Amino acid sequence: IFINAAIVSLCVHWGGFAFSCLIGSCKFFDITEDIGMIYMLYSAYQTIRGPPTLRQTTVFYCASLWGLRLVSFVGYRVLVRGRDFRFDKLIKAPAYNLFGWTSGGSWCWINGFCLWALASNVDDRSGPLTWLDYLGLAIFVFGLFIETLADLQKYSFNVNTKSGQNTTWIASGLWGSWSRHPNYVGEIAVWVGLAIVCMGGADSSWLGGYGASEVFAKNALRLATVLITPVWSMFFLVFT
């Protein structure tokens, strides 16, 4: 599942690179990336061994909701405004353009590590969701709400200005009273919440307890893999 997700992500983005060269524009970068991510989710879910568990189904439906919300927003934004200034410089140099698309494909793959780990977990034959799952889902819903509201507020602030031409920074709504980047706060919360749900499973020994060292090592590796998602999401948004 990890390998298939990487192949799908890179192939979609390299296809986007070829299309951008053909039309001479990278304005469809975000749309291509998000459609690719949604297809990665579908592909991973379809390759789960055995009937998907309630936890697996819940997480993948939540992640798909995030993806559909995002592609709808960025798609509407670029189609209405005609361009996205952030990607204009990519098309000026083929090597830099390819680097940008490859980076996008790598981001999607790494950001989905908790999902690929959950889909690969053949030990997860769980029944009802636990309090930990509900905690994660609550954080996910909070993050999705904050991210959506922040995006709508910023779009409303920029809608009457050409892309990249607004010389002032939004200081109203969540952007003025709560956070400088509330959309990033929401995005990070989304993946923290999903990662918490992905930690669950029928074999909870990796949360601490079993004496068998091989079981502990296996589940510790899974925990570390799951945690890559929120750490990567936060690192990417804060530092790049």
Side-chain angles (χ1 to χ4, degrees):
I1 290 177
F2 276 84
I3 294 174
N4 288 341
I7 292 173
V8 169
S9 187
L10 289 175
C11 285
V12 166
H13 282 78
W14 286 339
F17 161 72
F19 183 70
S20 72
C21 293
L22 184 66
I23 66 173
S25 171
C26 286
K27 70 177 183 178
F28 297 117
F29 188 103
D30 274 344
I31 297 177
T32 304
E33 183 165 86
D34 295 334
I35 291 176
M37 187 69 174
I38 293 171
Y39 181 73
M40 290 166 67
L41 296 173
Y42 171 79
S43 178
Y45 185 75
Q46 292 299 314
T47 53
I48 293 175
R49 291 173 56 185
T53 66
L54 177 59
R55 177 176 291 103
Q56 290 169 331
T57 298
T58 300
V59 167
F60 274 84
Y61 270 77
C62 286
S64 298
L65 176 63
W66 164 84
L68 290 171
R69 200 286 308 182
L70 190 58
V71 73
S72 299
F73 174 72
V74 299
Y76 177 83
R77 182 178 62 186
V78 73
L79 292 176
V80 169
R81 307 195 74 187
R83 58 185 285 262
D84 190 326
F85 76 95
R86 297 173 301 159
F87 301 123
D88 287 348
K89 63 182 179 180
L90 283 180
I91 201 64
K92 295 179 180 179
Y96 186 56
N97 191 17
L98 178 60
F99 170 76
W101 285 96
T102 304
S103 297
S106 301
W107 177 88
C108 287
W109 180 59
I110 297 173
N111 210 65
F113 263 37
C114 69
L115 305 172
W116 322 142
L118 181 64
S120 303
N121 183 20
V122 296
D123 297 325
D124 185 1
R125 302 267 69 88
S126 57
L129 301 179
T130 67
W131 67 267
L132 190 64
D133 298 312
Y134 289 115
L135 173 62
L137 290 174
I139 295 174
F140 166 81
V141 171
F142 166 79
L144 191 65
F145 172 75
I146 292 297
E147 184 177 29
T148 303
L149 181 59
D151 279 345
L152 292 175
Q153 289 177 347
K154 189 176 183 183
Y155 181 82
S156 178
F157 177 75
N158 285 322
V159 67
N160 294 319
T161 308
K162 290 183 179 181
S163 181
Q165 299 302 308
N166 200 337
T167 58
T168 58
W169 184 262
I170 179 173
S172 57
L174 295 176
W175 300 80
S177 62
W178 192 67
S179 170
R180 184 180 176 91
H181 297 285
N183 55 341
Y184 291 173
V185 174
E187 175 76 1
I188 293 169
V190 161
W191 291 106
V192 168
L194 290 183
I196 290 174
V197 184
C198 290
M199 291 179 186
D203 179 6
S204 59
S205 60
W206 54 284
L207 292 176
Y210 278 36
S213 59
E214 61 274 11
V215 174
F216 175 80
K218 173 185 176 182
N219 289 316
L221 177 60
R222 178 172 165 243
L223 173 61
T225 304
V226 167
L227 289 178
I228 285 175
T229 289
V231 171
W232 169 251
S233 178
M234 183 179 298
F235 171 82
F236 178 83
L237 292 173
V238 172
F239 294 104
T240 69

